Amino acid sequence: SGSWDKTVRMWNVWDESVQLDASLMRGHEGAVSGVAFSPDGQTIASVSEDRSLRLWNTATGAQRTRPLSKHTDWVRAVTYSPEGRTIASGSDDRPVVLWD
């Protein structure tokens, strides 16, 4: 999930007593408005009002790359293509950006 507190969090919905090692991811400078799991489950993409897209390792919680920035306004939505090679992000600046 993404939050107004600028974090991305993974939840163990099957057993709340089990804490996930990579459960809390910090790095965005604004509220996180969208998250998506890659088809292989190894990466989370997140987008934010800070105009960036970030990629997170689901096993460690570490960022996989530097923040990706092509939008000029709040990024609201993110999704992976079915094969996982392309990510699409949508922003208040209107264009959809495709990331390879």
Side-chain angles (χ1 to χ4, degrees):
S1 63
S3 176
W4 284 98
D5 70 1
K6 307 174 190 174
T7 63
V8 175
R9 185 179 297 270
M10 287 192 303
W11 302 88
N12 184 336
V13 298
W14 302 110
D15 186 350
E16 294 178 16
S17 68
V18 175
Q19 180 70 22
L20 300 172
D21 290 339
S23 65
L24 185 64
M25 291 154 257
R26 298 179 189 271
H28 278 290
E29 296 175 10
V32 178
S33 51
V35 295
F37 272 93
S38 63
D40 66 8
Q42 295 182 22
T43 303
I44 292 175
S46 63
V47 294
S48 168
E49 74 174 329
D50 67 10
R51 303 182 198 124
S52 74
L53 181 146
R54 294 174 192 249
L55 301 176
W56 309 90
N57 181 314
T58 57
T60 66
Q63 287 190 55
R64 290 194 176 273
T65 64
R66 62 176 175 67
L68 304 173
S69 300
K70 285 188 181 177
H71 289 287
T72 60
D73 206 342
W74 189 328
V75 189
R76 302 274 185 176
V78 63
T79 191
Y80 278 87
S81 62
E83 79 287 341
R85 289 189 300 250
T86 303
I87 300 171
S89 58
S91 170
D92 286 350
D93 62 12
R94 303 278 186 204
V96 171
V97 175
L98 300 178
W99 308 86
D100 291 323

